[in-house]
Amino acid sequence: MSFAVDVITLFPEAVADYARTSILGRAAAEGHWRLRTLDPRSWTADVHRTVDDTPYGGGAGMVMRPEPIVDLVESVPDLARPVLALTPAGRPFTQADARRLAAGTGLTLLCGRYEGIDQRAVDLVANEEVSVGDFVLAGGELAALCVMEAVVRLVPGVLGNEDSLEEESFGAGLLEYPHYTRPATYRGRDVPAVLRSGDHAAIAAWRRAQSLARTRDRRPDLLARRGGLSATERELLDRHRLDDPAPGE
Ligand code: SAM
């Protein structure tokens, strides 16, 4: 059985169109995963198919009503699990989440619109509330696509070259080293000589040093989470002249 992704959205085409492209589209055609979109409007009972209403307590905007979402989730027997609600107020979604979810059988992504979804619906149907970053999108669709792509590309068979997953950013709690391709010199900038040396041990050491230095300089929070730099790693950075820039440099 292929990996199942259900997306609950008021804009099914936006999600389906993107999923038809590139790696995701090819992997679906090959049967590695499948996407189903579910529109809460189809679970409304009134003639106007109303999915939103004004907020209790006042304030700007509209709120997605709970009934269509809860009815949808309760009436689709084979809905993929777990159910993740997308919200800027959620826990940050990480690569570790992507790995965990890719090891399962599927997931459902619940997209909000307007000011968000009535919290009772979220509490009743969602197993997790996740955010894709500290910014506010107009709707959950782009956030759902981010999560979907991050997870599905880790599903076995989807990428083809699973080796490339080993070293990429966040794999070992570090950012990835920089990449280069031809030409060897471009606008006066040379590819680092070590990458053209054919010395695999030296290349691996250079990449490791770049990865550590990038993480230290750009994402000290990630470095702190893995306990900082070891003595060997400091020595590796010194050897590659990537020691900590002096304050103010
Ligand atoms: N009033 C909400 C707030 O301030 O937290 C923002 C609602 S936003 C305009 C509408 C929908 O976009 C949300 O319900 C959510 O599904 C989605 N969304 C916006 N930003 C997001 C983010 N950073 N991560 C995940 N979902 C997001």
Side-chain angles (χ1 to χ4, degrees):
M1 211 184 64
S2 70
F3 193 82
V5 179
D6 287 322
V7 181
I8 301 173
T9 169
L10 295 174
F11 295 92
E13 278 315 306
V15 174
D17 277 354
Y18 182 77
R20 268 191 286 273
T21 64
S22 172
I23 282 176
L24 291 188
R26 193 185 62 219
E30 288 170 356
H32 295 299
W33 75 292
R34 66 99 177 128
L35 169 69
R36 174 172 59 181
T37 55
L38 301 156
D39 186 344
R41 269 189 216 287
S42 305
W43 275 265
T44 50
D46 64 308
V47 62
H48 299 296
R49 308 214 297 164
T50 312
V51 289
D52 60 330
D53 208 334
T54 52
Y56 273 114
M62 301 293 274
V63 175
M64 286 177 76
R65 291 173 45 205
E67 308 95 311
I69 290 168
V70 174
D71 290 352
L72 183 164
V73 169
E74 289 182 346
S75 67
V76 177
D78 62 343
L79 193 82
R81 309 283 172 163
V83 178
L84 273 67
L86 283 317
T87 162
R91 176 179 61 75
F93 182 80
T94 66
Q95 188 67 11
D97 292 312
R99 277 195 294 270
R100 167 177 57 89
L101 291 161
T105 57
L107 76 159
T108 290
L109 296 161
L110 172 57
C111 303
R113 276 273 154 183
Y114 319 116
E115 288 309 312
I117 300 170
D118 184 296
Q119 189 61 39
R120 292 165 297 180
V122 176
D123 293 343
L124 283 166
V125 307
N127 302 101
E128 304 174 37
E129 293 180 64
V130 295
S131 162
V132 294
D134 292 344
F135 45 79
V136 180
L137 299 162
E141 288 71 22
L142 279 176
L145 287 173
C146 288
V147 171
M148 182 172 90
E149 186 161 293
V151 173
V152 169
R153 69 190 284 280
L154 299 182
V155 169
V158 168
L159 269 194
N161 177 14
E162 255 106 75
D163 280 356
S164 61
L165 296 176
E166 294 292 317
E167 290 190 344
E168 68 183 5
S169 292
F170 312 114
L174 297 173
L175 302 180
E176 202 187 39
Y177 49 80
H179 296 279
Y180 298 90
T181 184
R182 278 187 283 264
T185 302
Y186 179 67
R187 300 206 173 182
R189 295 162 187 247
D190 294 333
V191 168
V194 63
L195 298 180
R196 304 176 62 203
S197 67
D199 180 341
H200 295 298
I203 292 171
W206 181 87
R207 286 180 165 166
R208 177 89 184 148
Q210 291 290 328
S211 178
L212 290 164
R214 266 190 165 182
T215 311
R216 177 199 62 201
D217 298 344
R218 300 178 180 185
R219 293 293 304 274
D221 58 310
L222 290 180
L223 208 55
R225 219 172 293 158
R226 69 190 277 285
L229 293 167
S230 68
T232 321
E233 288 168 345
R234 282 184 199 288
E235 198 267 327
L236 181 72
L237 289 173
D238 282 351
R239 213 158 11 98
H240 287 83
R241 300 188 187 287
L242 291 167
D243 36 339
D244 230 338
E249 254 179 45

